[in-house]
């Protein structure tokens, strides 16, 4: 039995990470009802077999609520780690020498194995090595093919297999590890909608993933390294969406650099028409407490004011004690911000210039006509989703209802600002397009009798990327008569 649930009134989307605290069918349904629009599956934890019932539960929930739901599979990426110590851990003291080498012998207070040949090939004098999420800092003073000799600048206890970051050089490492290739093939086989690539350094890193995906999912680049920031525009152009992954950015860059960089990434993605997700530590305190700090609330609000397409919960929804409450709180914050009369002005602070194409011109016109004609919604027919992406880029002040015959397209649009996607049969004529737009607006409570709506489509119908029609029509209110079983 299908449960009726009204379309979200807010424009920004909520991406909730699933994990031990939330990966049952019951919890997934509760997260959706609390406000989650899309679900992230972290491939860093657990095996592939454990992900199958989670994906099946999301798809089953789709049928219960009658709404396409987005699944994002997040690949682990190349994780750099030091080796092991004879006594399990050592104390690194400021000013002392510490050597990283190729010797697999368990380490001591003077040295430890670094099992990553690529670092030895790329490292440079004065480069920093950050250990255990940046808690300790080493400075390179000398190096060769077998040894990296450093001085401890920030000390502390270093234990077995702790993570290592190299922020000052571009490492000649493949963006996809063997594990990632296997996980990507699994994600494609499971028909997830988005695949996120971790630790992207350059646009070339995306090429192999794009080839392996083969058009069967959208590709998202996680911006979490300084080297990626240096080629940000090229990376954004090479992918279908981006994530501001503030966790590793905050390790490899000074913390005060992250907020302006977040705004830069959001602005670049919006300007180039790619959906952008702001992620990591948004409501971190809700892992253990039922309410967030005021600083966390402001952090979420800032991302919404900046016009991000989506905001993400990580451990809050995956492993925390209050997963449903975390989603509900994020939903409440986003709704409050979007009700602010100044929200529209702030969202449009980023100046966007449409490309010199008919489709971009019509997308900008649709937003402007919706304002001038006091329309209640923009309705677009699309096969590939490109029309919806163009309209969402303009951040119109009214809902965007997308009608598509392809479930895959509807699901991929779940990370797009303001979009409510509906899977429905395609149309074959202009008259059928207008009539169906009215009926679907009524059926989905997007508009009501007496409302005007703006309709966008491409003629000839069924041709991807051919947006060339813009039509304003008024709904009477009786359009659903004799259409009870329409799909």
């Amino acid at each position: 039995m299908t449960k009726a649930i009204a379309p979200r009134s807010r424009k920004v989307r909520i991406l909730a990470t699933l994990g031990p605290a939330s990966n049952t069918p019951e919890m997934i349904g509760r997260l959706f009802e609390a406000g989650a629009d899309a679900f992230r599956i972290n491939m860093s934890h657990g095996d592939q077999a454990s992900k199958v019932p989670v994906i099946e539960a999301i798809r089953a929930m789709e049928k219960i609520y009658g709404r396409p739901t987005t699944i994002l599979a997040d690949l682990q990426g190349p994780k750099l780690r030091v080796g092991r110590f004879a006594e399990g851990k050592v104390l690194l003291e400021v000013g002392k020498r510490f050597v990283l080498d190729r010797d697999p012998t368990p380490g001591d207070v003077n040295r430890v194995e670094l099992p990553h040949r690529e670092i030895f090939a790329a490292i440079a004098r004065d480069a920093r090595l950050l250990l255990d999420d940046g808690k300790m800092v080493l400075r390179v003073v000398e190096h060769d093919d077998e040894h990296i000799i450093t001085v401890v600048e920030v000390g502390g206890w270093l234990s077995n297999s702790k993570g290592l970051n190299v922020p000052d050089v571009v490492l000649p490492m493949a963006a996809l590890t063997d594990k990632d290739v296997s996980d990507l093939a699994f994600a494609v086989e499971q028909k997830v909608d988005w695949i996120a690539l971790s630790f992207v350094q350059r646009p070339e890193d995306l090429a192999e993933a794009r080839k392996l995906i083969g058009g069967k999912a959208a590709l998202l680049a996680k911006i979490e390294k300084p080297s990626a920031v240096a080629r940000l525009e090229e990376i954004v152009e090479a992918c279908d969406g981006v994530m501001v992954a503030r966790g590793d950015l905050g390790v490899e860059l000074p913390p005060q650099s992250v907020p302006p960089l977040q705004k830069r990434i959001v602005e670049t993605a919006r300007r180039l028409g790619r959906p952008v997700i702001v992620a990591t530590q948004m409501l971190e305190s809700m892992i253990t407490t039922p309410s967030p700090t005021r600083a966390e609330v402001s952090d979420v609000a800032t991302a919404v004011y900046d016009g991000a397409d989506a905001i993400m919960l990580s451990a809050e929804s995956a492993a925390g004690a209050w997963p449903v409450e975390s989603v509900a709180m994020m939903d409440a914050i986003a709704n409050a911000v979007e009700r602010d009369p100044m929200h529209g002005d702030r969202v449009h602070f980023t100046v966007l210039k449409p490309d010199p194409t008919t489709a971009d011109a019509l997308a900008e016109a649709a937003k402007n006509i919706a304002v001038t004609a006091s329309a209640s919604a923009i309705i677009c027919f699309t096969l590939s989703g490109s029309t919806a992406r163009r309209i969402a880029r303009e951040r119109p002040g009214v809902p965007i209802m997308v009608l598509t015959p392809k479930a895959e397209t509807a699901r991929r649009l779940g990370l797009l600002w303001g979009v409510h996607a509906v899977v429905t049969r395609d149309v074959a004529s202009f008259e059928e397009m207008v009539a169906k737009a009215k009926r679907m607006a009524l059926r989905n409570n997007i508009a009501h009798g007496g409302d005007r709506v703006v309709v966008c489509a491409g003629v000839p119908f069924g041709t991807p990327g051919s947006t060339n029609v813009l039509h304003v029509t008024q709904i009477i209110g009786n359009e659903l008569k004799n259409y009870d079983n329409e799909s």
Side-chain angles (χ1 to χ4, degrees), residues 144-158:
D144 57 34
D145 291 343
E146 298 291 325
H147 305 83
I148 299 174
I149 302 170
T150 74
V151 171
V152 179
E153 289 193 345
V154 178
W157 286 99
L158 179 63

Side-chain angles (χ1 to χ4, degrees), residues 176-433:
L176 291 169
T177 65
D178 290 344
K179 171 178 166 54
D180 293 329
V181 171
S182 175
D183 287 343
L184 187 152
F186 165 80
V188 169
E189 180 186 323
Q190 292 294 313
K191 299 182 179 178
V192 307
D193 311 298
W194 285 82
I195 294 175
L197 192 59
S198 297
F199 302 111
V200 174
Q201 297 188 93
R202 50 196 167 247
E204 293 82 3
D205 289 342
L206 299 162
E208 183 183 0
R210 177 78 75 186
K211 181 179 178 181
L212 292 173
I213 290 170
K216 295 177 181 177
L219 176 61
L220 184 135
K222 293 169 67 178
I223 308 298
E224 49 195 332
K225 294 188 71 64
S227 50
V229 176
R231 301 184 67 182
L232 178 62
E233 193 146 327
E234 296 171 83
I235 289 171
V236 175
E237 286 182 333
C239 64
D240 301 308
V242 295
M243 179 187 292
V244 189
R246 303 181 305 177
D248 276 274
L249 273 178
V251 170
E252 300 207 0
L253 291 168
Q256 66 271 19
S257 300
V258 176
L261 185 54
Q262 173 178 317
K263 290 183 180 292
R264 179 183 162 196
I265 297 169
V266 171
E267 185 273 335
T268 302
R270 288 190 54 194
R271 180 165 44 82
L272 296 176
R274 305 297 195 274
V276 55
I277 303 165
V278 176
T280 320
Q281 296 176 330
M282 301 211 81
L283 296 175
E284 186 86 352
S285 64
M286 290 194 73
I287 295 172
T288 56
T289 62
S291 59
T293 66
R294 285 183 288 277
E296 290 168 339
V297 172
S298 293
D299 180 40
V300 173
T302 295
V304 180
Y305 277 122
D306 287 345
D309 288 84
I311 44 183
M312 190 180 98
L313 293 165
S314 301
E316 302 97 322
S317 60
W322 308 93
V324 176
E325 290 80 1
S326 296
V327 172
M329 177 56 67
M330 188 168 267
D331 178 69
I333 297 167
N335 275 303
V337 170
E338 292 186 5
R339 287 194 298 267
D340 179 1
M342 296 301 295
H343 172 255
D345 292 337
R346 292 176 182 269
V347 163
H348 290 108
F349 188 77
T350 298
V351 178
L352 303 175
K353 294 182 179 179
D355 293 333
T357 64
T358 301
D360 268 26
L362 287 177
E364 184 182 36
K367 179 195 74 173
N368 295 333
I369 290 171
V371 174
T372 305
S374 299
S376 296
I378 297 173
I379 303 172
C380 68
F381 291 79
T382 182
L383 281 174
S384 66
S386 62
T387 303
R389 286 190 292 272
R390 286 186 171 95
I391 295 172
R393 174 180 180 263
E394 299 295 328
R395 300 297 191 260
V398 297
I400 306 164
M401 185 168 74
V402 176
L403 303 179
T404 178
K406 297 181 69 174
E408 313 87 71
T409 296
R411 289 167 176 160
R412 289 184 198 178
L413 297 176
L415 293 178
L416 220 58
W417 193 90
V419 166
H420 177 77
V422 177
V423 180
T424 183
R425 283 196 294 266
D426 207 0
V427 295
S429 69
F430 180 85
E431 293 76 13
E432 188 182 356
M433 173 194 79

